[in-house]
Every structure is written in structure tokens, then in C-alpha cells.
Amino acid sequence: MDLKRLVRTIPDYPKPGIMFRDITTLLRDPGGFRRAVDELVQPFAGSGITKVAGIEARGFILGGAVAHQLSVGFVPIRKKGKLPWQTIGVEYELEYGTDEVEIHIDSLDKGDRILIVDDLIATGGTAVASIELIREGGGEVVGCSFVIDLPDIGGRARLEEMKVPVRTLMAFEGE
Ligand code: AMP
């Protein structure tokens, strides 16, 4: 099955020059969704994952399914100000300004082995902050799984420098 064919590209969204990689076309395809989840899990089956952490918002859809597949719990990594209980957070740089990701202070148990899931890795800024956040919360990041890699932007390399194994299912060259 060619998963890449199921991803829709929308030029100049949300602003000129961006090629937006839309996974809703993959998610609505029953075989494609199933296959994507299986492949996100595959390198980490048998790694003793104890929780999946999904990055808002498309990482919730994929990460929830991955957690179900592994029969483990799910932790949402959210943008600042969205979680109702006490949180810990990590700031990261954007092109203009900064943003912050948060988890609930009691999300993780001692010794948790975490798989982080999102739809796409570009600069890696969100994923690097998420790794730092999980580590600060007391978890070990066993790996990160993404459907899409934009290799020319270099996010994957940043994660590998942090000694985190990265799984991606397809790549789009350029941006
Ligand atoms: P980054 O922190 O630069 O790695 O950006 C990753 C986050 O931004 C992910 O949660 C993606 O959903 C989103 N994102 C960045 N670039 C794109 C793109 N070209 N198409 C779709 N989503 C994107």
C-alpha cells in the first residue's frame, strides 16, 4: 500500500510558500489509517513502552490509536493553557516569538517508557520541546514516530542528536 499517495498536499496553506501536508485523506481511508498505525508502532513493539504521548492536535488521533494498539495509556501534550489541572511546560522558539507545550504534572509514573507520536516533523522544535518535557516529567523517551518527515528542514537529525530513535513512514523533499 502506498501511504504517501493518501496524503494531500495543499500549496500556500496557511500562508504563501508553505506546502501543507494534509493527513485527513489518509485518516479517512480505513486501510490507510490501519496501516499507518501499524507502521508507527512496528519498530517499538517489544520495547516495553508504558505510555504513548501525542502532540496536539493530529498527534492525538494517531497517538490514541497507537496507544490502543500497544495496550498502554495515552498522555496528551498540549499547547500552553489548554490543560485543566497543574502542569509542567517547556518553551520553544518559533519563527516569530515562542510557544510552550505542557503536560499534567501527574501524567507520568516513575520509570515510564514513552513513545511520542505526531503527524509530521519539520524543524523538530515541537518534538524537541516534547522530549525535554517528558524527561522533565520523569519519563524516558524510547522513540518518536511521525507519519511524515520533511528531511531538508532537519528536524529528524536534531532528534537523533538527542539519541532518540525516530520512525517516519514517508518523506517529502524540499518543504
Ligand atoms: P516543527 O515543530 O517545525 O517540527 O513542526 C511540526 C508541527 O507543525 C507538527 O505538529 C505539524 O503538524 C505542523 N507542521 C509543520 N509543517 C507542516 C506542513 N508542511 N504541513 C502540515 N503540518 C505541518
Side-chain angles (χ1 to χ4, degrees):
M1 177 184 286
D2 184 6
L3 286 179
K4 196 169 176 180
R5 196 180 46 80
L6 293 173
V7 173
R8 170 165 55 195
T9 296
I10 304 165
D12 299 320
Y13 182 88
K15 55 183 185 182
I18 303 285
M19 298 287 269
F20 191 85
R21 309 299 176 176
D22 173 23
I23 62 157
T24 64
T25 39
L26 184 156
L27 295 173
R28 76 175 183 208
D29 184 283
F33 188 17
R34 168 94 256 165
R35 180 66 177 267
V37 171
D38 285 346
E39 292 201 9
L40 291 170
V41 168
Q42 189 263 322
F44 303 109
S47 303
I49 303 289
T50 57
K51 288 189 180 77
V52 172
I55 302 174
E56 186 172 358
R58 280 159 276 164
F60 293 173
I61 303 164
L62 295 160
V66 167
H68 180 77
Q69 179 97 328
L70 288 167
S71 298
V72 299
F74 177 82
V75 172
I77 298 175
R78 299 210 66 178
K79 299 286 160 62
K80 188 178 173 63
K82 301 280 185 71
L83 288 165
W85 183 238
Q86 293 170 37
T87 56
I88 52 174
V90 170
E91 265 196 20
Y92 60 101
E93 303 284 327
L94 296 173
E95 199 177 340
Y96 305 104
T98 61
D99 212 339
E100 190 168 336
V101 283
E102 296 183 331
I103 54 173
H104 275 146
I105 199 158
D106 54 1
S107 297
L108 304 181
D109 297 305
K110 205 172 176 356
D112 260 339
R113 293 170 57 77
I114 307 295
L115 176 62
I116 294 176
V117 175
D118 202 1
D119 65 328
L120 179 148
I121 181 155
T123 65
T126 322
V128 167
S130 298
I131 292 166
E132 288 169 0
L133 183 59
I134 296 295
R135 288 176 175 171
E136 203 172 308
E140 181 187 343
V141 179
V142 175
C144 290
S145 289
F146 306 89
V147 174
I148 299 165
D149 185 18
L150 304 183
D152 299 337
I153 305 182
R156 184 195 187 118
R158 283 179 73 189
L159 268 50
E160 286 169 349
E161 276 166 27
M162 295 173 83
K163 307 278 177 250
V164 174
V166 179
R167 166 69 157 176
T168 59
L169 309 188
M170 66 187 72
F172 288 91
E173 312 296 328
E175 296 186 24

